[in-house]
Amino acid sequence: MVKINDFAVESWMDAYETKCKYNIAETCCASVSLDQLRELSEDKDREIFDTSKVLNYGAIRGSDDLRNNLARLYSAKVTTPLSQDNIITTPGAIQANYLTAYALVGPGDHVICHYPTYQSLYEVPKQLGAEVDLWKASPHNEWAPTIEDLKALIKPNTKLIVINNPNNPTGAVLKKSFLQELIDVATEHNITIMSDEVYRPIFHSMSPLDKEFPPSLMSMGYSNIVVTGSMSKAYSLAGIRVGWIASRDSSLIEKIASARHYTTISVSAFDEQIAAYALHPSTIHKLLARNIQLAKANLALLEKFLIKNEDECEWVKPVAGTTAFIKFHRDGKPVDSVDFCKKLLEKTGVLFTPGSECFGSEWKGYVRVGFVNQTEIVKQGLEETTKFVRKFLDDVELAA
């Protein structure tokens, strides 16, 4: 029997997400309805669904409309456009990440994973029998790991390097020059890189004109790369469960597509039509503008919260994505983040995610905040959290 460790962050959300008043643990940009999506479109007459289509399995690897729209996004600002044949769709990015590991690693292989990050990125390779080392980032280095540490982790059997950019839970980015160094190391050792890019392109605190602005790893000239993405986070459509896998290496796509036959015949035709509509040129720009503006407005609220409570908490301000990793302490000692989150929820209805339980036991005192929900929810939730900190922090246990 495969040993499966508890998926801590998903177990936490499963237990509490529907029982809170202010969900500031959610990592999606505030979700939209189909009516709201249509309002964002510049072509109000274009139908989201073609109801005349027969509901068979549809296109096995993903609809042409959806994959063409995705290929267009990955082809921007590059000399060699990406073909839709280099993209396959999946039921969410969690399946995209699982399939990539399932197809590429197994017993006898070694995997290096960027950390802290979403647990499945390192747990699934372990379940498949691979040896996994964590490439640890530090708040003292703006939540970036070091290339020197990466080189020290590489073994003769290193098969895959996994990164998450922008990062969950920290909101940090691996910058362009860093990514180039990563590619140089991977090229030297012929190692595949998997880049989980589900939070692209929500860059709220970094300009595309910045010379260190991180492009998708797909556009940096190294073909031995797999990139995963999703409609859930940046595109506000978690409910349709559409993700994807892209690579310029057709052999990697074929290997993953072969493994995919064992898990997925096809993605829902209805879901893919909604995704294609959202990513169409007439819709995507207003959708992303809405979400980036929401992130900027809510981050300003979160920054004010940090200033107001600077004696009790600290952070490295996030650069991109929808999450921040905040450390709470009392008298200079980190609080027990699980006790903090449970008491906060009980007293105020505010939901955070405890870092020490969901992202690694060493992150004592840390909580993950998902700050790109509806602004009023974030505003009221942070106000309630300030009241809790002032009134009840002394009742929260300290970290062991």
Side-chain angles (χ1 to χ4, degrees), residues 313-351:
C313 59
E314 60 189 83
W315 70 343
V316 177
K317 185 178 176 181
V319 176
T322 67
T323 62
F325 214 31
I326 299 173
K327 186 177 184 180
F328 284 87
H329 44 74
R330 192 176 75 234
D331 301 326
K333 299 175 182 177
V335 301
D336 182 309
S337 64
V338 174
D339 191 52
F340 177 92
C341 288
K342 286 183 176 180
K343 285 176 176 168
L344 176 67
L345 180 62
E346 177 188 344
K347 297 289 186 182
T348 69
V350 174
L351 182 64

Side-chain angles (χ1 to χ4, degrees), residues 5-13 119 353 357-359:
N5 291 324
D6 181 52
F7 198 160
V9 70
E10 296 301 340
S11 292
W12 180 268
M13 297 300 286
Q119 185 179 344
T353 307
E357 176 160 315
C358 299
F359 295 96

Side-chain angles (χ1 to χ4, degrees), residues 217-232:
L217 214 60
M218 283 281 288
S219 65
M220 295 191 67
Y222 184 50
S223 63
N224 199 7
I225 280 172
V226 175
V227 166
T228 59
S230 168
M231 297 303 299
S232 299

Side-chain angles (χ1 to χ4, degrees), residues 268-336:
S268 161
F270 277 123
D271 290 351
E272 288 197 344
Q273 285 186 69
I274 299 170
Y277 183 95
L279 297 180
H280 189 274
S282 66
T283 312
I284 186 174
H285 303 295
K286 284 192 175 181
L287 177 59
L288 286 176
R290 174 244 191 206
N291 288 349
I292 291 171
Q293 183 54 44
L294 191 63
K296 287 180 176 180
N298 292 359
L299 182 61
L301 294 175
L302 188 57
E303 188 165 24
K304 287 179 183 177
F305 169 84
L306 265 291
I307 293 170
K308 189 179 293 185
N309 299 284
E310 62 183 355
D311 291 336
E312 293 83 21
C313 59
E314 60 189 83
W315 70 343
V316 177
K317 185 178 176 181
V319 176
T322 67
T323 62
F325 214 31
I326 299 173
K327 186 177 184 180
F328 284 87
H329 44 74
R330 192 176 75 234
D331 301 326
K333 299 175 182 177
V335 301
D336 182 309

Side-chain angles (χ1 to χ4, degrees), residues 22-299:
Y22 306 103
N23 189 345
I24 320 182
E26 175 59 68
T27 59
C28 302
C29 291
S31 296
V32 295
S33 67
L34 293 185
D35 288 343
Q36 290 172 312
L37 187 64
R38 185 182 287 106
E39 281 303 307
L40 288 167
S41 176
E42 296 170 0
D43 182 3
K44 301 291 190 294
D45 295 327
R46 192 164 59 89
E47 293 294 336
I48 297 178
F49 293 117
D50 178 358
T51 56
S52 69
K53 282 190 175 180
V54 174
L55 295 179
N56 55 20
Y57 284 117
I60 298 300
R61 295 195 179 193
S63 75
D64 287 345
D65 285 346
L66 176 54
R67 292 195 296 155
N68 275 326
N69 283 342
L70 287 167
R72 176 178 48 78
L73 295 180
Y74 285 118
S75 298
K77 299 180 181 179
V78 296
T79 55
T80 307
L82 184 72
S83 166
Q84 72 163 49
D85 294 335
N86 290 78
I87 300 171
I88 52 179
T89 63
T90 59
I94 195 165
Q95 175 75 340
N97 293 334
Y98 185 93
L99 270 173
T100 300
Y102 180 61
L104 300 184
V105 303
D109 294 326
H110 177 239
V111 175
I112 298 169
C113 186
H114 182 191
Y115 178 86
T117 191
Y118 194 55
Q119 185 179 344
S120 67
L121 292 177
Y122 51 88
E123 284 291 344
V124 169
K126 285 183 191 175
Q127 293 168 17
L128 296 167
E131 176 191 2
V132 177
D133 277 319
L134 301 177
W135 183 23
K136 295 186 177 182
S138 166
H140 305 297
N141 191 37
E142 298 182 316
W143 287 116
T146 70
I147 294 296
E148 290 72 23
D149 284 348
L150 173 65
K151 291 178 179 177
L153 291 172
I154 290 175
K155 300 180 178 183
N157 61 335
T158 302
K159 189 79 171 291
L160 187 68
I161 298 170
V162 180
I163 64 172
N164 175 208
N165 196 33
N167 178 259
N168 169 22
T170 65
V173 299
L174 303 178
K175 297 177 181 178
K176 184 176 182 179
S177 61
F178 183 96
L179 294 176
Q180 187 57 59
E181 290 184 76
L182 167 60
I183 287 172
D184 292 343
V185 171
T187 301
E188 180 184 351
H189 297 276
N190 192 31
I191 300 170
T192 302
I193 305 173
M194 189 191 94
S195 181
D196 177 333
E197 297 181 352
V198 297
Y199 293 96
R200 285 189 66 89
I202 303 298
F203 292 93
H204 46 70
S205 302
M206 189 177 197
S207 168
L209 300 178
D210 190 318
K211 64 183 178 67
E212 283 286 17
F213 187 84
S216 169
L217 214 60
M218 283 281 288
S219 65
M220 295 191 67
Y222 184 50
S223 63
N224 199 7
I225 280 172
V226 175
V227 166
T228 59
S230 168
M231 297 303 299
S232 299
K233 310 300 183 182
Y235 299 103
S236 300
L237 290 167
I240 65 173
R241 309 309 304 131
V242 172
W244 58 85
I245 300 167
S247 178
R248 290 191 175 274
D249 187 332
S250 296
S251 67
L252 285 174
I253 286 293
E254 291 306 312
K255 189 176 291 187
I256 294 168
S258 179
R260 180 178 177 273
H261 289 315
Y262 285 98
T263 65
T264 312
I265 296 176
S266 62
V267 176
S268 161
F270 277 123
D271 290 351
E272 288 197 344
Q273 285 186 69
I274 299 170
Y277 183 95
L279 297 180
H280 189 274
S282 66
T283 312
I284 186 174
H285 303 295
K286 284 192 175 181
L287 177 59
L288 286 176
R290 174 244 191 206
N291 288 349
I292 291 171
Q293 183 54 44
L294 191 63
K296 287 180 176 180
N298 292 359
L299 182 61

